[in-house]
Amino acid sequence: NLPEVAWKQSPFLAQSPAFISMCSDDPNNLPEVNKVKGVAIAVLVFGVISCLGFLVPGEWWGGLGGVLAVIGASVLLCCTGSGASASAGSHIGAGVLIASAAIVHAVAVIVYIVFWANVVNAVNDNCDDGVYSNPDDPNNQDEVDCDALSGVASAFIGVLIWPIIVIDIATFCVELICAIFSFQAAQAVRAQALPTTAGVPVAKPV
């Protein structure tokens, strides 16, 4: 297995706690913590890609969701601790960020679809109003094929915006799963930190 050989032969990677914690299960962690870290990698990748939403003129929702997702995933991967030092608060904070990113991406999908529809409708309205006809000869408006023009506008905008919509839908799904796993990991970390009586966790005395 070439990747495994390369990993073993690289002193930096083999001794890097960050690499080990990101790319493999840490035996010192709770299963819930390892699970959410694995999903966080996917959130980080999709979050970076969804930042393409900043390219949509005036519609920055997808990009904002991407930034929130990247920050939340980075917290899970780098700042939640491991083993006995695992932090429930960090998991909750990351979960809130990623849940917020999921909400923003859901809004972004709706906004982008409305944006696409509005552009097509604007082309149709302008065509019907004779905006694209020769102002010196209003009678040549019939020469403009409004259906064809609308189809071209729809296809052009669609090529640009529908890939972003698909990415945002996929990102929303991954973020929703990751947020749920983050809160589950926080609950597991808190339960582990409580003292036990006959195997039942009890609250610490104040």
Side-chain angles (χ1 to χ4, degrees):
N1 189 315
L2 185 57
E4 182 179 356
V5 172
W7 175 78
K8 290 181 178 180
Q9 291 180 348
S10 172
F12 173 77
L13 293 180
Q15 298 175 12
S16 172
F19 178 84
I20 295 173
S21 62
M22 287 178 61
C23 300
S24 62
D25 287 346
D26 187 341
N28 296 319
N29 282 337
L30 293 169
E32 292 85 356
V33 173
N34 283 328
K35 181 170 62 175
V36 73
K37 284 181 180 290
V39 180
I41 296 174
V43 171
L44 181 63
V45 172
F46 277 100
V48 171
I49 296 174
S50 68
C51 287
L52 291 173
F54 283 121
L55 300 178
V56 180
E59 309 294 347
W60 39 262
W61 290 92
L64 175 61
V67 171
L68 291 173
V70 168
I71 296 174
S74 299
V75 170
L76 286 174
L77 293 172
C78 304
C79 308
T80 53
S82 63
S85 64
S87 168
S90 296
H91 282 93
I92 292 176
V96 170
L97 282 171
I98 294 173
S100 300
I103 294 172
V104 173
H105 277 125
V107 173
V109 169
I110 298 173
V111 169
Y112 292 154
I113 292 175
V114 172
F115 172 77
W116 169 76
N118 287 340
V119 170
V120 175
N121 290 335
V123 171
N124 285 333
D125 292 342
N126 288 339
C127 192
D128 292 339
D129 293 340
V131 174
Y132 305 124
S133 63
N134 187 342
D136 297 329
D137 184 11
N139 293 326
N140 76 346
Q141 181 178 345
D142 291 337
E143 296 179 4
V144 179
D145 189 338
C146 289
D147 290 337
L149 187 60
S150 175
V152 171
S154 176
F156 178 75
I157 298 298
V159 167
L160 296 178
I161 205 168
W162 278 104
I164 296 177
I165 292 174
V166 171
I167 290 172
D168 282 352
I169 291 174
T171 305
F172 165 79
C173 295
V174 176
E175 287 167 345
L176 187 60
I177 294 171
C178 190
I180 293 172
F181 285 176
S182 294
F183 297 131
Q184 290 177 345
Q187 185 177 7
V189 170
R190 281 179 171 174
Q192 184 187 46
L194 293 176
T196 60
T197 301
V200 178
V202 296
K204 291 181 178 180
V206 177

